[in-house]
């Protein structure tokens, strides 16, 4: 098929940044334009190319594929995630069956420690809260599930909130009591979201469970994996198809006119960016800034931190957590790069902010999205975390794209049959 955009596709997508591209307005020979080469975009591109004969053009404004999952090996030989640590875990067998076809994966059970300041100085304790956390901070005699139930009954005895909880403050106080709420959750959340938990949906803090046992893993899903050669190589495999063209460094919204003849557009960017002309209220997002520190080690199997991720739930520091990437899959290197994460309202959108106000604003955009196909007289869909303004884990983004694909395929087959 003749590319509609003059783009030289290099052997490796890593080098596929198109410096000097020329977009013609004749775009008829592309069937599907996918905006965004992150998880949602790459999964849906893969399905179109493999299950239909359609020609797919994937665009991304960044100079690499992979969205926020993008990773690379730094000069010290450590694999780093450019946009924060990504840990794949899922309960959905269909999601795993799909994604595990790409690249190779290794089991990795993620553990996080929280640095909590006590009268005896700082302590690194497991989060989510489990028996070892309670033993190390509050009561060494708590040893069984029954002990935990009694401990938390006492911690929450003065809390009168009942389900359904109205916000994250209520749900966290009701589950953990005030002492743990203040030590682990309140200030971390204020740093992360620039809001008190009272102004966030209960679901935000309900992401962190309370464990009545010794299980100190961050996630309990049966499937917990990391890609052996990094996430970027998984995206290379997902997009490696003769019917997929990838164009990097292109801002779709600036060049929208050039792609208007393509019969289907799947937009995975921020929905308020797509409808910016309407001048509706802006949706809120949180972004992250990263600060690196390189630490030399005596041995290549030494580490600086006691865990891959150390959360900072106090106001003593401005960052929310430190990631020591070398821990993941136990990489060997004589220099370890620590990355501190600072939450910010400026920069690339990472997290939608789940609360009533933003949900109300999103609803107006959602109504526009639902009628965009009719307005444009071509199919326009909105897919993924930013386009649907939903706080999604990786497996949810993959699952959502696969579900979207199945729905579309069912409709398409019906049209073909009739
Ligand atoms: N959170 C907290 N203390 C912690 C870890 C998490 O208060 O030590 C809160 C915080 O508001 C965070 C939310 O729980 O945004 C969800 O945490 P998770 O680790 O799932 O966040 P993500 O990995 O998506 O950044």
């Amino acid at each position: 098929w003749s590319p509609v955009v003059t783009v030289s596709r290099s052997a490796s997508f890593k080098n596929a940044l198109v410096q000097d591209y020329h977009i013609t307005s004749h775009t008829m020979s592309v069937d599907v334009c996918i905006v965004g080469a992150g998880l949602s975009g790459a999964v849906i591109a893969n399905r179109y190319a493999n299950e239909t004969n359609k020609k797919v053009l994937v665009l991304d404004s960044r100079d690499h594929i992979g969205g926020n999952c993008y990773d690379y090996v730094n000069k010290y030989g450590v694999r780093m995630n450019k946009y924060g640590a990504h840990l794949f875990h899922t309960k959905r067998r269909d999601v795993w069956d799909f994604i595990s076809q790409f690249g190779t994966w290794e089991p990795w059970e993620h553990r996080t420690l929280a640095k909590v300041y006590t009268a005896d100085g700082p302590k690194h304790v497991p989060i989510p809260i489990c028996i070892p956390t309670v033993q190390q901070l509050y009561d060494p005699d708590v040893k069984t599930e029954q002990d935990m139930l009694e401990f938390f009954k006492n911690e929450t005895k003065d809390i009168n909130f009942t389900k359904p909880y109205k916000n994250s403050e209520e749900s966290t106080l009701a589950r953990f009591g005030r002492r743990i709420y203040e030590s682990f959750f309140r200030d971390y959340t204020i740093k992360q979201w620039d809001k008190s938990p009272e102004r966030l949906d209960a679901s935000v803090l309900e992401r962190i469970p309370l464990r009545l046992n010794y299980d100190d893993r961050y996630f309990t899903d049966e499937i917990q994996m990391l890609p052996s050669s990094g996430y970027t190589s998984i995206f290379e495999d997902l997009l490696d198809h003769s019917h997929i063209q990838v164009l990097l460094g292109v801002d779709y919204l600036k060049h929208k006119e050039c792609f208007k003849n393509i019969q289907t557009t799947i937009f995975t960017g921020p929905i308020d960016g797509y409808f910016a002309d309407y001048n509706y209220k802006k949706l809120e997002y949180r972004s992250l800034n990263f600060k690196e520190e390189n630490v030399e080690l005596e041995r290549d199997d030494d580490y600086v931190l006691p865990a891959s991720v150390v959360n900072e739930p106090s106001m003593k520091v401005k960052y929310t957590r430190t990631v020591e990437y070398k821990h993941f899959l136990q990489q060997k290197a004589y220099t370890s790069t620590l990355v501190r994460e600072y939450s910010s309202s400026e920069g690339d959108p990472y997290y939608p902010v789940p609360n009533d106000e933003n949900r109300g604003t999103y609803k107006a955009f959602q109504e526009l999205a639902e009628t965009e196909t009719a307005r444009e007289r071509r199919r326009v869909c909105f897919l993924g975390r930013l386009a649907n303004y939903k706080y999604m884990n990786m497996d949810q983004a993959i699952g959502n794209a696969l579900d979207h694909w199945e729905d579309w395929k069912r409709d398409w087959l019906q049209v073909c049959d009739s």
Side-chain angles (χ1 to χ4, degrees):
W1 65 298
S2 53
V4 290
V5 180
T6 53
V7 40
S8 54
R9 183 178 156 177
S10 58
S12 161
F13 282 103
K14 276 180 220 140
N15 304 320
L17 170 62
V18 182
Q19 302 288 3
D20 180 25
Y21 60 89
H22 168 67
I23 302 167
T24 74
S25 56
H26 174 68
T27 50
M28 293 306 289
S29 61
V30 171
D31 301 303
V32 186
C33 173
I34 295 176
V35 184
L39 266 182
S40 305
V43 168
I44 206 79
N46 177 279
R47 293 296 75 207
Y48 268 108
N50 281 283
E51 290 205 38
T52 70
N53 242 342
K54 297 195 179 292
K55 317 293 189 312
V56 182
L57 177 67
V58 180
L59 306 172
D60 203 293
S61 58
R62 287 175 170 162
D63 63 0
H64 58 72
I65 58 171
N68 283 358
C69 301
Y70 173 74
D71 58 11
Y72 62 96
V73 176
N74 75 2
K75 63 180 175 186
Y76 307 111
V78 179
R79 185 172 297 285
M80 310 283 293
N81 277 118
K82 185 165 179 183
Y83 307 98
H86 280 70
L87 289 310
F88 180 82
H89 58 100
T90 192
K91 289 186 176 44
R92 271 184 70 166
R93 178 52 63 177
D94 62 325
V95 166
W96 174 240
D97 287 345
F98 173 76
I99 202 68
S100 59
Q101 299 170 80
F102 306 96
T104 53
W105 297 73
E106 291 175 45
W108 178 261
E109 292 188 326
H110 178 55
R111 286 179 172 76
T112 291
L113 295 175
K115 190 173 176 184
V116 176
Y117 291 84
T118 69
D120 305 329
K123 281 191 183 168
H124 287 100
V125 296
I127 175 124
I129 313 278
C130 52
I131 293 178
T133 321
V134 173
Q135 287 177 340
Q136 287 169 49
L137 285 182
Y138 309 111
D139 184 352
D141 294 331
V142 168
K143 293 192 172 114
T144 63
E145 183 176 323
Q146 193 53 37
D147 295 344
M148 282 292 264
L149 286 170
E150 301 225 335
F151 174 83
F152 279 100
K153 195 172 160 201
N154 194 41
E155 291 293 304
T156 56
K157 66 177 185 304
D158 300 325
I159 310 286
N160 296 316
F161 298 122
T162 49
K163 284 184 182 171
Y165 302 119
K166 288 204 269 308
N167 55 54
S168 272
E169 182 176 77
E170 285 193 5
S171 65
T172 313
L173 282 171
R175 288 190 301 148
F176 298 95
R178 186 159 294 279
R179 187 159 61 146
I180 290 180
Y181 170 68
E182 289 180 359
S183 300
F184 285 86
F185 299 109
R186 185 193 56 196
D187 295 350
Y188 185 106
T189 299
I190 292 171
K191 289 196 283 184
Q192 165 69 24
W193 299 96
D194 194 25
K195 278 185 180 22
S196 137
E198 212 182 342
R199 292 183 54 216
L200 291 165
D201 283 0
S203 62
V204 174
L205 276 164
E206 280 172 354
R207 285 170 62 87
I208 312 293
L210 165 57
R211 303 251 173 81
L212 300 176
N213 54 27
Y214 285 84
D215 191 347
D216 63 351
R217 295 171 304 164
Y218 208 65
F219 311 110
T220 50
D221 294 348
E222 204 180 306
I223 300 162
Q224 305 191 31
M225 296 280 177
L226 285 181
S228 317
S229 306
Y231 286 105
T232 307
S233 71
I234 304 291
F235 283 83
E236 285 168 9
D237 285 359
L238 277 165
L239 296 169
D240 184 15
H241 192 286
S242 57
H243 279 187
I244 300 180
Q245 291 267 355
V246 181
L247 191 53
L248 298 173
V250 177
D251 184 339
Y252 169 80
L253 294 174
K254 281 197 189 134
H255 299 281
K256 217 165 158 185
E257 277 301 296
C258 303
F259 305 103
K260 70 172 195 293
N261 293 331
I262 301 175
Q263 70 191 46
T264 295
T265 296
I266 299 182
F267 185 80
T268 72
I271 191 161
D272 51 340
Y274 184 94
F275 291 113
D277 291 350
Y278 285 76
N279 286 323
Y280 284 7
K281 201 171 152 209
K282 279 209 85 58
L283 282 165
E284 258 184 299
Y285 299 92
R286 294 303 288 171
S287 186
L288 294 174
N289 290 324
F290 302 98
K291 281 209 183 125
E292 291 192 3
E293 182 193 358
N294 296 310
V295 181
E296 281 184 32
L297 305 169
E298 267 176 31
R299 293 160 47 117
D300 65 356
D301 56 357
D302 282 347
Y303 297 105
V304 182
L305 299 180
S308 53
V309 177
V310 172
N311 284 1
E312 293 280 353
S314 95
M315 284 295 182
K316 285 191 194 299
V317 292
K318 288 203 170 119
Y319 49 92
T320 53
R321 57 190 171 198
T322 310
V323 182
E324 184 174 15
Y325 281 93
K326 186 174 180 279
H327 277 278
F328 296 125
L329 300 179
Q330 293 164 321
Q331 301 172 68
K332 295 223 171 355
Y334 284 99
T335 299
S336 189
T337 303
L338 310 187
V339 183
R340 302 210 161 80
E341 295 187 3
Y342 295 80
S343 174
S344 158
S345 58
E346 305 290 317
D348 284 355
Y350 283 55
Y351 298 94
V353 182
N355 64 17
D356 285 345
E357 203 179 326
N358 288 318
R359 216 181 346 273
T361 310
Y362 168 66
K363 212 162 171 291
F365 287 114
Q366 195 183 16
E367 278 162 18
L368 288 176
E370 276 160 13
T371 46
E372 182 65 354
T373 292
R375 229 176 353 258
E376 286 283 311
R377 300 217 185 101
R378 63 194 172 94
R379 192 169 150 254
V380 184
C381 309
F382 296 83
L383 184 70
R385 186 173 52 101
L386 298 173
N388 290 299
Y389 199 67
K390 264 203 194 115
Y391 190 4
M392 286 184 199
N393 292 333
M394 297 173 77
D395 68 321
Q396 292 170 315
I398 298 168
N400 193 36
L402 292 177
D403 293 345
H404 174 91
W405 169 254
E406 289 302 328
D407 288 349
W408 180 82
K409 194 168 72 173
R410 209 172 18 251
D411 293 350
W412 181 60
L413 289 176
Q414 268 172 12
V415 173
C416 294
D417 280 353
S418 58

